[in-house]
């Protein structure tokens, strides 16, 4: 395991024990001529907690890299990463003050607007949602349309995310659905079936357990375009302390550049420490697939920088899902996000 600064390791090791304290505004920042916050020396670090949506993995690597390499500290932040899991309710943690920022996703952010939950998305690390459908090879399945009428194992969350999209655009029907319990066993046993998955996880598990490479359909390449692995926070924090939000966003983005373009081993050491089931092969596979498919670095992120979002992209996703009946057509989806903290350009974050 790569040697990690002991202080950061201890700080990180507390992530699964509970939430950190709420952040308080820390002074001592300086500003560039453009008005954006830049790091400066501080006598004390501002302690904040960031909650992830799943167990530690490569898909969270940039955040861990920012902890492990001291990027957050350079921005005056002492960040504790609170690991998520299947029973974690991120919105509840965020609104209850148990975490200051949470790893969210686009459809949930718009749903929060409909439910009058005052949270807002301030950045999107993933330009493509890694959601996939995997099928067996040699079954005549070459396109997404070929899955029509086939049994597909999906989770309950799919019913309010990508399944209505597949129903509206590709003619999928309710009788195709089978319950998915995050176990590839039923899929492996039925060659006519397909299952949901994460691009950087399930295909590797299927290859190891089933002995074959599955046919993979990345839904983002078929028109399903929500922002994913977002950074969201409470509206009141954005209004009360925009400087803190800006520092966390900038440092996190720089952590992702470091993770994908530099040496990822500092973050990987922390990931494995938090999640002992995570091994080097899985981490390497996750990084490989994120790069291969442009999960982080594609589209707007190539010019605007990692974390990029646009109003047009949010509108496109909203219109698609409203047409599928997931959102009410009169929802003010623009309340779900702000562009104030991103889109500074790749050179800004890499400088």
């Amino acid at each position: 395991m790569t040697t990690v600064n002991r202080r950061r390791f201890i700080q990180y090791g507390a992530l699964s024990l509970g939430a950190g304290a709420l952040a308080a505004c820390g002074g001592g920042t300086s500003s560039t001529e453009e008005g954006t916050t830049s790091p400066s020396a501080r006598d004390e670090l501002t302690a904040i907690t960031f909650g992830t949506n799943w167990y530690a993995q490569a898909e969270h690597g940039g955040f861990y890299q920012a902890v492990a390499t001291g990027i957050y500290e350079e921005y005056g932040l002492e960040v504790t990463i609170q690991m998520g899991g299947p029973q974690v309710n991120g919105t509840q943690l965020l609104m209850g003050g148990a975490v200051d920022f949470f790893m969210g996703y686009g459809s949930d952010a718009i749903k929060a607007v409909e439910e009058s939950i005052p949270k807002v998305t301030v950045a999107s690390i993933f330009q493509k949602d890694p959601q996939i459908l995997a099928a067996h090879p040699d079954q005549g399945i070459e396109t997404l349309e070929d899955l029509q009428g086939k049994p597909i194992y999906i989770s309950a969350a799919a019913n309010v995310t990508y399944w209505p999209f597949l129903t509206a655009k590709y003619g999928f029907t309710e009788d195709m659905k089978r319950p998915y319990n995050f176990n590839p066993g039923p899929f492996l046993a039925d060659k006519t079936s397909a299952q949901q998955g994460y691009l950087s996880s399930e295909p590797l598990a299927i290859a190891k357990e089933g002995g074959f490479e599955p046919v993979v359909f990345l839904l983002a390449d078929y028109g399903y375009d929500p922002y994913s692995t977002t950074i969201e926070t409470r509206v009141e924090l954005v209004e009360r302390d925009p400087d803190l939000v800006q520092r966390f966003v900038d440092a996190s983005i720089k952590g992702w550049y470091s993770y994908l373009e530099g040496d990822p081993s500092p973050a990987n050491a922390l990931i494995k420490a938090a999640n002992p089931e995570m091994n080097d092969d899985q981490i390497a596979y996750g990084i490989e697939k994120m790069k291969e498919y442009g999960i982080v670095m594609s589209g707007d992120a190539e010019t605007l920088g990692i974390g990029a979002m646009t109003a047009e992209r949010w509108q496109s996703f909203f219109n698609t899902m409203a047409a599928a009946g997931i959102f009410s057509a009169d929802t003010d989806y623009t309340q779900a996000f702000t562009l104030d903290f991103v889109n500074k350009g790749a050179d800004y974050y890499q400088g």
Side-chain angles (χ1 to χ4, degrees), residues 194-247:
Q195 73 156 65
Q196 74 168 47
Y198 222 49
L199 175 68
S200 46
S201 181
E202 273 76 6
L204 180 61
I206 290 170
K208 287 184 175 181
E209 295 186 34
F212 63 88
E213 296 290 337
V215 179
V216 173
F217 301 103
L218 180 64
L219 299 188
D221 289 339
Y222 288 84
Y224 182 66
D225 64 345
Y227 284 119
S228 178
T229 305
T230 62
I231 299 174
E232 58 183 28
T233 189
R234 297 179 297 279
V235 171
E236 65 86 14
L237 183 58
V238 169
E239 295 174 345
R240 172 173 57 84
D241 199 348
D243 174 74
L244 177 66
V245 176
Q246 187 69 75
R247 284 188 280 144

Side-chain angles (χ1 to χ4, degrees), residues 256-281:
W256 273 99
Y257 275 110
S258 175
Y259 188 67
L260 294 177
E261 298 183 352
D263 175 13
S265 60
N268 294 344
L270 294 186
I271 290 170
K272 290 186 291 183
N275 182 7
E277 294 185 2
M278 186 57 57
N279 56 56
D280 290 331
D281 287 346

Side-chain angles (χ1 to χ4, degrees), residues 104-107 121 123-124 126-129 225-230 300 308-314 317:
Y105 54 99
S107 59
T121 299
S124 179
F126 285 4
Q127 291 299 304
K128 293 183 179 181
D129 190 317
D225 64 345
Y227 284 119
S228 178
T229 305
T230 62
D300 296 317
M309 300 188 298
T310 66
E312 293 77 12
R313 173 82 174 269
W314 277 95
F317 176 66

Side-chain angles (χ1 to χ4, degrees), residues 24-29 42 44 46 76 241 243-244 247:
C25 177
T29 61
R42 294 170 176 83
E44 295 183 2
T46 302
D241 199 348
D243 174 74
L244 177 66
R247 284 188 280 144

Side-chain angles (χ1 to χ4, degrees), residues 145-181:
E145 291 89 338
D146 293 334
L147 290 176
Q148 290 178 1
K150 307 291 185 182
I152 302 179
Y153 293 92
I154 65 169
S155 66
N159 292 305
V160 292
T161 53
Y162 65 84
W163 189 262
F165 162 79
L166 294 175
T167 298
K169 186 168 182 178
Y170 294 99
F172 285 22
T173 55
E174 292 296 297
D175 62 339
M176 294 168 57
K177 295 192 298 186
R178 303 290 187 274
Y180 177 60
N181 297 314

Side-chain angles (χ1 to χ4, degrees), residues 320-348:
T320 297
M321 300 303 278
I326 296 300
F327 304 133
S328 172
D330 59 1
T331 297
D332 184 5
Y333 69 90
T334 62
Q335 295 183 38
F337 66 96
T338 175
L339 305 181
D340 291 348
F341 303 100
V342 292
N343 301 345
K344 299 180 184 303
D347 290 343
Y348 172 87

